[in-house]
C-alpha cells in the first residue's frame, strides 16, 4: 500500500509494515481483503479473524491457513 486513496483522502508513502506488526493483519491488508472476506474463505467467523489479528503471536498452522485463504481469494479475483 505505497499510495492509498480512501474516501478521497490521499495517504502518500503509507507503508502498513510501519504500523502493523501482526502478520495476519499485515498480509490481509496488503492483499486488500476484508476480515469478512477472509473469514468466509476460511469458513470461520469475522470475530475469529479479528482475534487472530489482535494476538502477539500466531501459530504456524494458523499462518498457513491464512496464507491459503488469501491466495484462494486473490486467484478468484484474477479469474474475474
Amino acid at each position: 500500500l505505497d499510495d492509498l486513496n480512501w474516501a478521497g483522502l490521499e495517504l502518500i508513502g503509507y507503508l502498513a509494515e510501519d504500523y502493523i506488526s501482526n502478520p495476519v493483519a499485515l498480509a490481509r491488508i496488503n492483499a486488500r481483503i476484508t476480515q469478512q472476506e477472509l473469514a468466509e474463505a476460511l469458513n470461520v467467523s469475522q470475530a475469529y479473524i479479528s482475534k487472530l489479528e489482535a494476538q502477539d503471536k500466531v501459530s504456524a498452522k494458523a499462518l498457513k491457513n491464512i496464507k491459503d485463504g488469501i491466495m484462494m481469494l486473490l486467484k478468484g479475483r484474477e479469474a474475474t
Side-chain angles (χ1 to χ4, degrees):
L1 296 179
D2 292 330
D3 294 330
L4 182 65
N5 185 335
W6 180 75
L9 300 174
E10 296 229 11
L11 303 172
I12 306 300
Y14 171 84
L15 296 175
E17 296 85 6
D18 292 341
Y19 303 94
I20 301 167
S21 60
N22 181 283
V24 174
L26 189 59
R28 180 186 60 75
I29 290 167
N30 282 335
R32 297 178 186 234
I33 295 170
T34 66
Q35 287 183 347
Q36 185 63 43
E37 289 171 323
L38 183 55
E40 289 173 6
L42 297 174
N43 200 29
V44 298
S45 69
Q46 177 273 326
Y48 177 74
I49 300 298
S50 179
K51 181 179 174 183
L52 282 178
E53 291 184 1
Q55 294 178 350
D56 290 332
K57 294 183 180 180
V58 181
S59 72
K61 182 178 180 181
L63 286 174
K64 182 188 180 316
N65 290 340
I66 295 296
K67 177 187 167 223
D68 293 346
I70 288 173
M71 296 304 295
M72 181 177 63
L73 288 167
L74 292 177
K75 286 180 183 176
R77 287 182 180 175
E78 289 175 2
T80 57

